[in-house]
């Protein structure tokens, strides 16, 4: 290896480190181990997951934290997450999680360790293949959920092209905020690449707005604003995904306008901001009549980063805001009513719109709807609270739980009662973030994603991680708690014990057997997942294994289990009995059939749509 070159694998790692990547999620396989060896020697932290699906969920969670906080608060962190699997069996196991990241606009680089070029060219019948000699099949599957795909075997004799392909996939992945796929053959790891190529800047952002076209767009917006009296700002997911949080906050501050968020936009802007009016749930927002009157009475909607999915718009889709009264801001285009300005991105445009709106700030109606966490009346809780009112109801839980959150905490919720219930919880400060897979909605996602959220929160110096999941969802990925314990992470996992798949029961089949689950002893499970005194391998390898294990297991604290059956027990836990160190598993016993009002409304809409 010449002094002015470095191996291709090290080139890739150097690019990742330039982007601030500190952690890579992985499950080893023989086609990826050579690359993992080099990663291990580079100082990149390799997190070993229980399976590839969990690893992809963890990478998704990692990307969410760094996407939000990097854009909003100037943290120096990664702009993407990295996942490494082996060819075939490993990558297909991860594909569901990758599809979720594609659906929800998250930059996850999927590095797939592939058989060597020589084997591919011979069409060898290798293990982990379909036995047909075709080594492109799985990459073709992934291409449908990747914004950029590169099979490096196709450029084996061209080191410059190999580096170009790495850069292309990374740039596209970050710029489009979607997964990228990199097929890395075992026999290309050490191909020498010119070191000077690392000095080339990666093209990570969209092209700048065309000045003349942007001016025309601003004139259209100015005309629209001048003709209305009660505009309102709507914050959605792509505000976060495309790094426009700071610009959106500036627009709210400069304009004095009230803003609401969609479920996918929750916590993008601070929920203790005086202009925050709440989470807009369309027809599902029963109990929030004043909020809905304000939103539906607006005569102009400044819709930032819109993503009009059913659970995000209460199945209202385009009717969520009236298109004739809506200005939509996206990463690569702007729409003013029925006028389309392609290539005019919100990151550059929003500060200019903020300046325009600042001119008429004094004429705006002040916001009087700032939400607070207030416990419901006994009447509002209804039968869910039990005859003595001491049973923890959904209506009570999500208001009470808000008191435990502190500035900088990261809250991740499983799709279902947790994600819908937390929409009513007002979060503190500008660094607290809410994460939920609202669009893709893969059951079991939250627990495994908590691992990635916890690593990113630790790297960014953020607060504690809280995961909320149901007992049904928890069973799909519960084994990843062992990984959290192994690496000394200390999230609080709140497991809602309501005897099965409550979100599915709300949609259909409340008494059907397919919505039932086998009950688990969660206290015993936690003990099984952490067994420091378990016997090691026999013979002379025992000491080597112990030392290897100690290398990545540091500051492991015994996890704690808490069972909570009444309001008094939960109050005592929240008021000081919840452990500060180590993983905490809190099992909350709730009534089967009880659900947040927003979930009940969405379930009814989904049931009608399915019919």
């Amino acid at each position: 290896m010449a002094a002015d070159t470095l191996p291709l694998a090290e080139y890739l790692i150097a690019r990742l480190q330039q982007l601030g990547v500190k952690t890579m999620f992985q499950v080893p396989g023989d086609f990826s181990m050579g690359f993992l060896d080099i990663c291990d020697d580079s100082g990149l932290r390799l997190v070993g997951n229980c399976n590839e699906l969990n690893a992809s969920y963890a990478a998704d969670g990692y990307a969410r934290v760094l996407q939000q906080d990097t854009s909003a608060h100037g943290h120096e962190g990664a702009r993407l997450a990295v996942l490494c699997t082996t060819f075939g069996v490993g990558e297909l196991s991860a594909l569901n999680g990758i599809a979720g990241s594609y659906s929800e606009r998250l930059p996850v680089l999927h590095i797939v360790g592939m058989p060597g070029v020589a084997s591919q060219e011979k069409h060898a019948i290798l293990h982990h293949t379909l036995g047909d000699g075709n080594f492109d099949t799985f990459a073709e599957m992934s291409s449908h959920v990747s914004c950029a795909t590169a099979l490096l075997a196709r450029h084996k004799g061209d080191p410059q092209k190999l580096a170009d392909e790495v850069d292309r996939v990374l740039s596209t992945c970050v710029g489009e905020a979607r997964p990228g796929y990199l097929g890395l053959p075992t026999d290309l790891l050490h191909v020498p690449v010119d070191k000077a190529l690392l000095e080339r800047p990666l093209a990570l952002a969209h092209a700048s707005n065309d000045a003349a076209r942007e001016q025309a767009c601003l004139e259209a917006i100015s005309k629209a604003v001048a003709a209305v009296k009660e505009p309102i700002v709507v914050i959605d997911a792509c505000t976060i995904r495309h790094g426009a949080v700071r610009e959106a906050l500036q627009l709210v501050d400069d304009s004095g306008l009230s803003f609401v968020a969609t479920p996918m936009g929750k916590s993008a802007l601070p929920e203790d901001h005086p202009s925050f009016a709440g989470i807009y749930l369309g027809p599902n927002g029963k109990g929030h009549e004043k909020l809905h009157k304000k939103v539906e009475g607006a005569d102009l909607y400044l819709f930032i980063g819109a993503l009009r999915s059913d659970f995000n718009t209460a199945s209202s889709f385009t009717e969520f805001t009236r298109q004739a009264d809506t200005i939509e801001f996206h990463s690569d285009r702007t729409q003013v009513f029925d006028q389309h300005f392609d290539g005019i991105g919100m990151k550059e445009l929003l500060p200019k719109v903020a300046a325009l709106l600042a001119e008429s700030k004094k004429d705006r109606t002040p916001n009087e709807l700032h939400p607070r966490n207030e416990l419901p009346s006994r009447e509002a809780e209804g039968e869910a609270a039990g005859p003595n009112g001491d049973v923890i109801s959904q209506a009570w839980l999500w208001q009470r739980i808000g008191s435990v959150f502190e500035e900088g905490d990261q809250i991740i919720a499983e799709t279902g009662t947790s994600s819908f219930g937390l929409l009513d919880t007002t979060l503190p400060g500008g660094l607290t973030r809410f994460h939920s897979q609202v669009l893709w909605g893969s059951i079991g996602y939250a627990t495994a994603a908590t691992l990635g959220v916890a690593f990113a929160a630790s790297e960014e110096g953020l607060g504690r991680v809280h995961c909320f999941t149901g007992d049904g969802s928890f069973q799909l990925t519960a084994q990843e708690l062992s990984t959290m314990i192994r690496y000394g992470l200390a999230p609080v996992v709140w497991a809602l014990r309501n005897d099965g798949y409550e979100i599915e029961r709300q949609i259909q089949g409340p008494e059907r057997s397919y919505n039932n689950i086998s009950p688990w002893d969660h206290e015993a499970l936690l003990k099984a997942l952490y067994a420091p005194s378990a016997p090691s391998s026999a013979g002379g390898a025992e000491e080597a294994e112990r030392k290897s294990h100690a290398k990545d297991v540091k500051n492991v604290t015994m996890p704690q289990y808490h069972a909570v059956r009444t309001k008094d027990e939960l109050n005592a836990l929240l008021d000081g009995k919840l452990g500060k160190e180590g993983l905490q598993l809190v099992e909350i016993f709730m009534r089967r059939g009880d659900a947040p009002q927003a979930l009940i409304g969405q379930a009814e809409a989904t049931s009608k749509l399915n019919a």
Side-chain angles (χ1 to χ4, degrees):
M1 191 73 63
D4 59 351
T5 65
L6 78 169
L8 175 64
E10 292 185 17
Y11 179 89
L12 170 57
I13 294 167
R15 278 303 201 195
L16 295 177
Q17 291 174 332
Q18 285 179 350
L19 291 170
V21 175
K22 298 183 177 84
T23 298
M24 182 169 75
F25 302 93
Q26 54 83 31
V27 176
D30 58 333
F31 296 130
S32 65
M33 286 178 178
F35 178 63
L36 294 178
D37 283 345
I38 300 170
C39 290
D40 206 21
D41 292 338
S42 73
L44 192 66
R45 175 166 51 194
L46 301 181
V47 175
N49 292 90
C50 295
N51 59 57
E52 293 88 353
L53 175 60
N54 287 356
S56 64
Y57 286 156
D60 182 294
Y62 186 88
R64 286 174 189 267
V65 175
L66 295 170
Q67 277 281 291
Q68 297 204 56
D69 292 310
T70 297
S71 61
H73 301 283
H75 286 192
E76 295 296 330
R79 294 296 308 281
L80 79 166
V82 185
L83 163 72
C84 182
T85 68
T86 197
F87 174 76
V89 292
E91 61 181 304
L92 293 188
S93 180
L95 196 55
N96 175 46
I98 293 294
S101 297
Y102 186 87
S103 170
E104 302 228 347
R105 280 69 169 176
L106 290 156
V108 175
L109 176 66
H110 187 185
I111 301 171
V112 177
M114 297 190 71
V117 177
S119 295
Q120 294 190 44
E121 290 179 341
K122 292 176 183 177
H123 302 287
I125 308 302
L126 298 182
H127 61 288
H128 299 340
T129 73
L130 298 178
D132 58 2
N134 186 346
F135 290 88
D136 296 347
T137 301
F138 307 131
E140 291 172 2
M141 293 180 184
S142 287
S143 69
H144 296 286
V145 290
S146 301
C147 64
T149 301
L151 291 170
L152 297 184
R154 296 177 180 177
H155 310 288
K156 63 173 184 176
D158 189 345
Q160 169 85 41
K161 185 63 175 178
L162 290 171
D164 290 346
E165 285 293 274
V166 168
D167 289 359
R168 177 182 65 84
V169 172
L170 285 173
S171 297
T172 309
C173 181
V174 173
E176 296 192 15
R178 275 181 156 160
Y181 179 102
L182 200 60
L184 182 59
T186 58
D187 54 1
L188 293 186
L189 297 175
H190 299 284
V191 170
V193 175
D194 186 354
K195 282 184 180 179
L197 296 176
L198 287 172
E199 299 175 8
R200 302 181 301 181
L202 294 171
L204 302 178
H206 292 282
S208 295
N209 292 347
D210 176 78
R213 190 155 179 77
E214 184 182 70
Q215 184 57 38
C217 181
L218 282 168
E219 290 174 1
I221 293 172
S222 179
K223 181 179 178 181
V225 169
V228 300
K229 293 182 178 180
E230 292 295 334
I232 194 168
V233 177
V234 183
I235 303 294
D236 208 344
C238 288
T239 309
I240 305 164
R241 304 296 186 253
H242 292 285
V245 171
R246 188 183 303 166
E247 290 77 8
L249 185 57
Q250 178 187 348
L251 184 147
V252 168
D253 286 338
D254 290 356
S255 68
L257 294 177
S258 297
F259 74 92
V260 296
T262 66
M264 291 183 74
K266 180 176 173 63
S267 81
L269 303 191
E271 295 191 353
D272 55 6
H273 193 288
S275 293
F276 178 54
I279 305 297
Y280 180 53
L281 299 172
N284 291 344
K286 295 178 181 178
H288 301 281
E289 286 76 13
K290 290 183 179 179
L291 168 64
H292 288 268
K293 182 178 180 180
K294 182 178 183 66
V295 174
E296 291 158 14
D299 50 10
L300 178 66
Y301 302 99
L302 303 172
F303 205 158
I304 304 176
L307 210 171
R308 297 178 183 272
S309 72
D310 56 350
F311 278 22
N312 200 37
T313 65
S315 297
S316 298
F317 302 106
T318 55
E319 293 79 23
F320 195 61
T321 60
R322 301 178 296 276
Q323 193 62 52
D325 299 318
T326 299
I327 300 173
E328 285 194 18
F329 301 90
H330 296 275
S331 62
D332 58 355
R333 68 190 189 281
T334 302
Q335 183 174 346
V336 183
F337 307 148
D338 60 352
Q339 286 184 276
H340 295 264
F341 296 90
D342 293 335
I344 304 303
M346 61 183 168
K347 193 166 180 66
E348 287 186 48
L349 182 64
L350 286 176
K352 298 167 186 175
V353 176
L356 186 157
L357 291 171
E359 298 175 5
S360 55
K361 180 176 181 178
K362 61 181 181 296
D363 299 325
R364 307 300 178 202
T365 302
N367 174 47
E368 298 176 352
L369 297 175
H370 188 68
R372 295 285 187 272
N373 293 321
E374 297 179 353
L375 295 178
S377 65
R378 177 70 179 84
E379 182 181 11
E381 288 188 89
E383 296 180 1
N388 299 320
D390 60 348
V391 177
I392 299 170
S393 68
Q394 294 280 343
W396 184 86
L397 173 65
W398 304 116
Q399 295 301 303
R400 180 65 180 91
I401 206 71
S403 67
V404 79
F405 301 140
E406 298 178 356
E407 166 70 0
D409 283 357
Q410 305 297 297
I411 295 95
I412 181 164
E414 181 69 48
T415 301
T417 54
S418 297
S419 61
F420 281 91
L422 280 163
L423 295 179
D424 275 342
T425 304
T426 303
L427 305 179
L431 289 173
T432 308
R433 290 289 179 264
F434 173 78
H435 311 282
S436 184
Q437 206 183 51
V438 176
L439 176 51
W440 186 241
S442 184
I443 186 172
Y445 162 82
T447 302
T450 296
L451 176 70
V453 171
F455 270 116
S458 175
E459 292 172 7
E460 292 289 287
L462 298 170
R464 197 165 197 181
V465 175
H466 296 264
C467 169
F468 292 87
T469 186
D471 52 358
S473 301
F474 182 63
Q475 292 190 2
L476 276 79
T477 53
Q479 67 271 53
E480 217 57 48
L481 264 61
S482 66
T483 311
M484 300 176 204
I485 298 167
R486 171 186 177 188
Y487 289 96
L489 301 173
V492 183
V493 178
W494 306 82
L496 278 56
R497 183 94 177 221
N498 52 13
D499 194 26
Y501 302 127
E502 190 56 51
I503 183 174
E504 312 292 12
R505 287 188 175 125
Q506 292 294 327
I507 296 172
Q508 186 169 319
E511 302 302 328
R512 294 290 186 178
S513 62
Y514 53 71
N515 283 325
N516 297 337
I517 62 170
S518 177
W520 282 9
D521 182 336
H522 290 108
E523 184 175 16
L525 173 70
L526 195 61
K527 292 178 181 178
L529 293 175
Y530 177 63
S533 60
S536 188
S537 57
E542 182 173 349
E543 181 64 15
E545 180 180 322
R546 186 191 65 76
K547 290 180 178 179
S548 175
H549 184 65
K551 179 181 178 182
D552 59 11
V553 179
K554 300 177 181 178
N555 303 318
V556 174
T557 301
M558 180 70 73
Q560 296 182 4
Y561 169 82
H562 310 270
V564 176
R565 291 177 170 81
T566 67
K567 292 174 180 174
D568 285 345
E569 289 177 348
L570 183 58
N571 284 331
L573 191 69
L574 297 181
D575 291 341
K577 292 186 178 181
L578 184 64
K580 296 293 185 181
E581 296 182 358
L583 185 145
Q584 310 287 312
L585 176 59
V586 182
E587 186 170 15
I588 303 178
F589 290 79
M590 309 185 76
R591 277 198 166 188
R592 174 172 165 171
D594 186 20
Q597 186 59 52
L599 173 55
I600 294 171
Q602 183 59 59
E604 292 173 352
T606 300
S607 181
K608 291 178 182 178
L609 187 66
N610 291 344

